[in-house]
Amino acid sequence: GYPNVGKSSLINSLKRSRACGVGATPGVTKCLQAVQLDRHIQLLDCPGVVMETGPPTAAAPLRGALDPQRLRDPLGPAAAILRRCPPQQVGGE
Protein backbone atom coordinates (compact mmCIF):
# COMPACT_ATOMS: atom_id res chain seq x y z
CA GLY A 1 0.00 0.00 0.00
CA TYR A 2 0.89 3.66 -0.17
CA PRO A 3 3.00 5.19 2.61
CA ASN A 4 1.17 6.45 5.70
CA VAL A 5 -2.23 4.89 5.04
CA GLY A 6 -2.31 2.91 8.30
CA LYS A 7 -0.91 -0.52 7.45
CA SER A 8 1.09 -0.74 10.70
CA SER A 9 -1.72 0.83 12.73
CA LEU A 10 -4.21 -1.72 11.40
CA ILE A 11 -1.90 -4.58 12.41
CA ASN A 12 -1.48 -3.06 15.88
CA SER A 13 -5.23 -2.74 16.21
CA LEU A 14 -5.84 -6.34 15.17
CA LYS A 15 -3.06 -7.57 17.46
CA ARG A 16 -4.31 -5.34 20.32
CA SER A 17 -0.72 -4.44 21.18
CA ARG A 18 2.13 -2.43 19.72
CA ALA A 19 3.62 -4.99 17.36
CA CYS A 20 4.67 -2.45 14.71
CA GLY A 21 6.17 1.01 14.99
CA VAL A 22 3.95 3.82 13.75
CA GLY A 23 4.44 7.52 13.11
CA ALA A 24 2.92 10.56 11.45
CA THR A 25 5.60 10.80 8.76
CA PRO A 26 6.39 8.33 5.98
CA GLY A 27 9.32 5.96 6.45
CA VAL A 28 8.79 4.60 9.97
CA THR A 29 8.53 1.03 8.67
CA LYS A 30 11.96 0.28 7.20
CA CYS A 31 11.74 -3.44 6.40
CA LEU A 32 9.34 -6.34 6.10
CA GLN A 33 8.08 -7.65 9.46
CA ALA A 34 5.96 -10.74 10.14
CA VAL A 35 3.43 -10.46 12.98
CA GLN A 36 1.67 -13.56 14.29
CA LEU A 37 -1.96 -12.60 14.87
CA ASP A 38 -3.08 -16.01 16.08
CA ARG A 39 -2.19 -19.63 15.52
CA HIS A 40 -3.46 -19.59 11.94
CA ILE A 41 -2.92 -16.00 10.76
CA GLN A 42 0.37 -14.23 10.14
CA LEU A 43 0.37 -10.65 8.82
CA LEU A 44 3.18 -8.90 6.99
CA ASP A 45 3.97 -5.25 7.63
CA CYS A 46 6.06 -3.58 4.97
CA PRO A 47 7.21 -0.11 3.94
CA GLY A 48 4.90 1.90 1.72
CA VAL A 49 5.14 1.43 -2.01
CA VAL A 50 4.94 4.27 -4.52
CA MET A 51 4.89 3.10 -8.14
CA GLU A 52 6.39 6.03 -9.98
CA THR A 53 9.62 6.61 -11.83
CA GLY A 54 11.43 9.81 -12.58
CA PRO A 55 11.61 12.98 -10.51
CA PRO A 56 8.89 13.51 -7.87
CA THR A 57 5.90 15.48 -9.07
CA ALA A 58 4.17 18.22 -7.12
CA ALA A 59 1.49 15.70 -6.13
CA ALA A 60 3.98 13.20 -4.59
CA PRO A 61 3.54 14.59 -1.03
CA LEU A 62 -0.22 14.09 -1.39
CA ARG A 63 0.35 10.35 -1.80
CA GLY A 64 2.65 10.22 1.22
CA ALA A 65 5.68 9.64 -0.98
CA LEU A 66 7.64 12.51 0.53
CA ASP A 67 8.06 13.63 4.11
CA PRO A 68 6.48 17.11 4.39
CA GLN A 69 9.42 18.40 6.44
CA ARG A 70 11.79 17.58 3.56
CA LEU A 71 9.93 19.64 0.96
CA ARG A 72 12.01 22.40 -0.54
CA ASP A 73 8.97 24.23 -1.90
CA PRO A 74 5.55 23.65 -0.28
CA LEU A 75 3.76 25.75 -2.92
CA GLY A 76 3.64 22.96 -5.52
CA PRO A 77 1.77 20.48 -3.30
CA ALA A 78 -0.45 23.28 -1.95
CA ALA A 79 -1.39 24.25 -5.51
CA ALA A 80 -2.10 20.57 -6.32
CA ILE A 81 -4.49 20.42 -3.34
CA LEU A 82 -6.24 23.63 -4.42
CA ARG A 83 -6.67 22.31 -7.98
CA ARG A 84 -8.47 19.24 -6.61
CA CYS A 85 -10.82 21.14 -4.26
CA PRO A 86 -14.00 22.88 -5.32
CA PRO A 87 -13.65 26.65 -4.82
CA GLN A 88 -16.57 26.76 -2.36
CA GLN A 89 -14.71 24.38 -0.02
CA VAL A 90 -11.59 26.55 -0.02
CA GLY A 91 -13.32 29.92 0.22
CA GLY A 92 -14.30 29.55 3.88
CA GLU A 93 -17.89 30.62 3.36
Side-chain angles (χ1 to χ4, degrees), residues 7-9 11-12 17-22 28-29 33 35 44-45:
K7 297 179 297 291
S8 300
S9 295
I11 291 173
N12 286 344
S17 68
R18 187 181 165 121
C20 305
V22 296
V28 173
T29 304
Q33 175 184 357
V35 177
L44 296 177
D45 188 27

Side-chain angles (χ1 to χ4, degrees), residues 33-48:
Q33 175 184 357
V35 177
Q36 197 70 38
L37 190 58
D38 65 19
R39 202 173 69 182
H40 302 288
I41 299 175
Q42 185 178 49
L43 302 173
L44 296 177
D45 188 27
C46 64

Side-chain angles (χ1 to χ4, degrees), residues 5-88:
V5 295
K7 297 179 297 291
S8 300
S9 295
L10 177 63
I11 291 173
N12 286 344
S13 180
L14 292 170
K15 182 77 175 166
R16 294 194 174 129
S17 68
R18 187 181 165 121
C20 305
V22 296
T25 58
V28 173
T29 304
K30 303 278 188 227
C31 60
L32 189 71
Q33 175 184 357
V35 177
Q36 197 70 38
L37 190 58
D38 65 19
R39 202 173 69 182
H40 302 288
I41 299 175
Q42 185 178 49
L43 302 173
L44 296 177
D45 188 27
C46 64
V49 177
V50 178
M51 304 298 281
E52 185 170 73
T53 59
T57 64
L62 304 181
R63 291 191 306 273
L66 293 175
D67 182 356
Q69 281 75 28
R70 299 176 76 189
L71 288 176
R72 291 187 184 143
D73 178 26
L75 295 180
I81 291 171
L82 292 174
R83 281 192 299 271
R84 294 174 184 211
C85 293
Q88 58 271 24

